[in-house]
Amino acid sequence: MPSKNDENSKKRYNFKDQTVKELRDFAAINDITIPAGSRKSDIVEILHNAVSESDFIDRTLEENRKEELIVGDDEEDFETPSDKELKFWQKPPYSTLLDLELAKDSDVAFYDLSTLVHKFFENMLSEDFINYKVSGIALKTSASLHRHKIRDVIKQEEKIQKQEKIEKMRKRTQRDIPETLSQPIKPKMKTSSQDELFDAMRDAIIETMQKREKLKRRRIKREEKLKKKKEKRSEAKLPKELLKHISGREQSVEELHESWYNRIKTKISLEEKNNTSLYELVKLINNEEISVLGRKYELIRMFLALMFLSTNNKINLEQNKEFKDIHIFLD
C-alpha cells in the first residue's frame, strides 16, 4: 500500500506531465542519480521515491527565493524593507558588492576597492550576527572586480605601449627635409683675347714639360741608388774588423778566401795542369795540421772558401757523381 507521503508527493510533483529533459534537470539540481538510458517511467518512479523521503529538500524552491535571501536575512525572507530597517549592505555603496554588474559601473567600487571591502567587513563584524552568505558574495564580487580592474589596467598599458611603439616607428621612418642652402652667385665669365689664350696655353705646356723633367731626374736618381745597392750586395763585403771578429782569428773571411784562391792557383801552376781537386787540397790540410780537430776545422773553412770563390766566379767546380772528388778549375 502506498503511504501518505507518496500520495502527497505525487500530488505536489506532477512528474508525468513533464518532459524527460525537465525531469533530468530536476534530478541534477537535487543531486538525484538517474541511470543512463532510463525510460521516462523509470525516471518518474526514481523521482517519486526520492521526494517521498522525509529528509528531502527541494532545491528548485531555494533558487526561486535566491534574490530574497541575498537581500535580507534567511530568517526574514518575506519581510519587505518597509517592515524592517535596511541593513548596511543593502545601502550604497556597500550594495554594489552584492551585484557584480552594478559594481562594475560604480566608480567607488572600481577605483577604491580595497577601502570599500575593508569598511564592509568592519561593519559586518560590528553586527550582532555575521551573515556569512552575504560576506561570501561580497568577497567573491570584490575578487571579480579586482581581476576586472587588473585586466583593464593591463589592456590600457598595452594600448599605451603600442601607441608609443607606433610613434617611435613613425619618427624613425620619417625623413626630415633639409632646408635649402643659399647658392653663391657665380661671377660672370670674363672674355679673353686671342693673345691671352695663347699665352696661357704656352705657360701650361712649359709647366707640364718642367714637371716631366723633374720626374725623370727623380727616376734616374732612384735607379742609380738601387743599382749601387745591388752592387754592394753582390760584393758581399764586410769591414775587415767585423770579419775578423766573426772568424775568431786575425785573418778575415776575405783574406781567407784570397789565400785559398792563391794556393789553388799556385798548385795548378806547379803541377802544370789546368785543374786540381778537393782531395789534393785535403792532403795539404792533413800535412799542415797535426790534430784531428784542427784538420776538421780547416777542412770546413776550406770548403766554405771554395763555395764563396765559386759564387764570385773566380773558380769553377765540377763533380761527375755524388760523393766523388770535386775538380777545381780557374775561371
Side-chain angles (χ1 to χ4, degrees):
M1 296 268 316
S3 62
K4 291 183 178 180
N5 291 333
D6 294 340
E7 293 177 358
N8 292 332
S9 63
K10 289 180 181 179
K11 292 178 181 179
R12 185 177 177 184
Y13 300 100
N14 192 5
F15 294 126
K16 292 183 179 180
D17 296 338
Q18 297 180 8
T19 62
V20 176
K21 184 178 183 304
E22 292 175 349
L23 294 174
R24 288 187 177 276
D25 292 340
F26 180 84
I29 294 171
N30 291 283
D31 294 334
I32 300 172
T33 305
I34 302 296
S38 299
R39 296 181 180 180
K40 183 177 179 180
S41 58
D42 297 334
I43 297 172
V44 170
E45 186 177 355
I46 292 169
L47 293 178
H48 277 306
N49 294 332
V51 299
S52 62
E53 294 180 1
S54 59
D55 57 347
F56 175 74
I57 298 173
D58 191 355
R59 295 182 181 177
T60 56
L61 299 177
E62 290 183 356
E63 289 190 355
N64 294 331
R65 295 161 55 191
K66 184 176 180 180
E67 294 181 358
E68 296 178 0
L69 291 173
I70 292 173
V71 175
D73 292 332
D74 295 338
E75 297 177 356
E76 301 174 354
D77 293 334
F78 301 99
E79 291 184 1
T80 59
S82 59
D83 297 335
K84 189 177 180 180
E85 186 180 356
L86 294 174
K87 295 291 185 180
F88 77 92
W89 61 78
Q90 296 172 334
K91 301 175 184 179
Y94 303 110
S95 60
T96 56
L97 293 177
L98 303 179
D99 190 353
L100 183 60
E101 297 300 326
L102 181 63
K104 287 182 180 179
D105 298 333
S106 176
D107 294 337
V108 176
F110 187 80
Y111 293 103
D112 198 8
L113 184 60
S114 60
T115 305
L116 183 64
V117 173
H118 183 69
K119 289 181 179 180
F120 179 89
F121 283 103
E122 281 185 352
N123 293 331
M124 181 61 75
L125 292 173
S126 63
E127 291 286 324
D128 295 335
F129 297 99
I130 298 174
N131 194 325
Y132 291 101
K133 189 169 187 177
V134 174
S135 300
I137 294 170
L139 189 62
K140 182 181 178 182
T141 305
S142 62
S144 300
L145 284 173
H146 183 65
R147 182 170 176 272
H148 181 70
K149 180 178 179 179
I150 291 174
R151 187 185 299 171
D152 286 351
V153 170
I154 292 173
K155 286 182 179 179
Q156 290 178 3
E157 187 66 25
E158 288 178 351
K159 188 176 180 181
I160 292 170
Q161 290 179 358
K162 188 176 181 180
Q163 191 67 25
E164 290 178 353
K165 190 175 181 180
I166 292 171
E167 291 295 330
K168 287 182 180 179
M169 290 293 293
R170 285 178 180 174
K171 289 181 180 179
R172 190 182 300 172
T173 55
Q174 187 177 4
R175 293 184 178 180
D176 296 332
I177 300 173
E179 297 180 358
T180 56
L181 300 174
S182 58
Q183 299 295 331
I185 300 172
K186 294 182 179 180
K188 294 182 179 180
M189 298 295 292
K190 295 181 179 180
T191 57
S192 58
S193 62
Q194 186 177 2
D195 295 336
E196 290 176 350
L197 181 60
F198 286 147
D199 292 339
M201 291 176 65
R202 185 174 61 253
D203 293 339
I205 292 170
I206 292 171
E207 186 178 358
T208 305
M209 295 298 292
Q210 288 176 351
K211 287 182 179 179
R212 287 185 178 179
E213 188 66 25
K214 288 181 181 179
L215 292 173
K216 185 178 179 181
R217 290 177 183 176
R218 289 178 184 175
R219 187 177 68 255
I220 292 170
K221 287 182 180 180
R222 187 167 58 251
E223 289 176 354
E224 289 178 355
K225 287 182 180 180
L226 290 173
K227 189 176 180 181
K228 289 180 180 179
K229 286 182 180 180
K230 288 181 180 179
E231 289 177 355
K232 286 183 179 180
R233 288 176 183 175
S234 63
E235 291 177 359
K237 291 183 178 180
L238 294 174
K240 291 184 178 181
E241 298 296 330
L242 183 60
L243 292 173
K244 288 180 180 180
H245 180 71
I246 293 171
S247 62
R249 292 190 176 187
E250 292 298 328
Q251 189 181 23
S252 64
V253 175
E254 187 178 357
E255 292 173 352
L256 175 65
H257 297 168
E258 191 67 25
S259 66
W260 274 108
Y261 178 71
N262 293 330
R263 293 176 73 175
I264 292 168
K265 190 190 297 185
T266 304
K267 188 168 182 60
I268 291 173
S269 62
L270 290 174
E271 293 179 356
E272 295 180 354
K273 295 180 180 179
N274 60 348
N275 65 349
T276 184
S277 64
L278 181 64
Y279 289 166
E280 297 294 332
L281 298 179
V282 171
K283 290 179 181 178
L284 292 175
I285 293 172
N286 292 334
N287 294 330
E288 292 176 357
E289 295 292 334
I290 300 173
S291 64
V292 177
L293 185 62
R295 290 174 182 174
K296 290 181 179 180
Y297 181 72
E298 287 298 329
L299 180 61
I300 293 170
R301 294 181 68 196
M302 182 265 292
F303 186 78
L304 292 175
L306 292 177
M307 296 296 105
F308 277 104
L309 291 172
S310 176
T311 304
N312 293 330
N313 297 324
K314 289 187 176 182
I315 60 174
N316 291 326
L317 301 176
E318 290 183 3
Q319 187 179 23
N320 297 327
K321 292 183 180 180
E322 293 182 354
F323 307 108
K324 295 295 182 179
D325 193 8
I326 298 173
H327 299 283
I328 303 169
F329 299 88
L330 293 175
D331 194 2

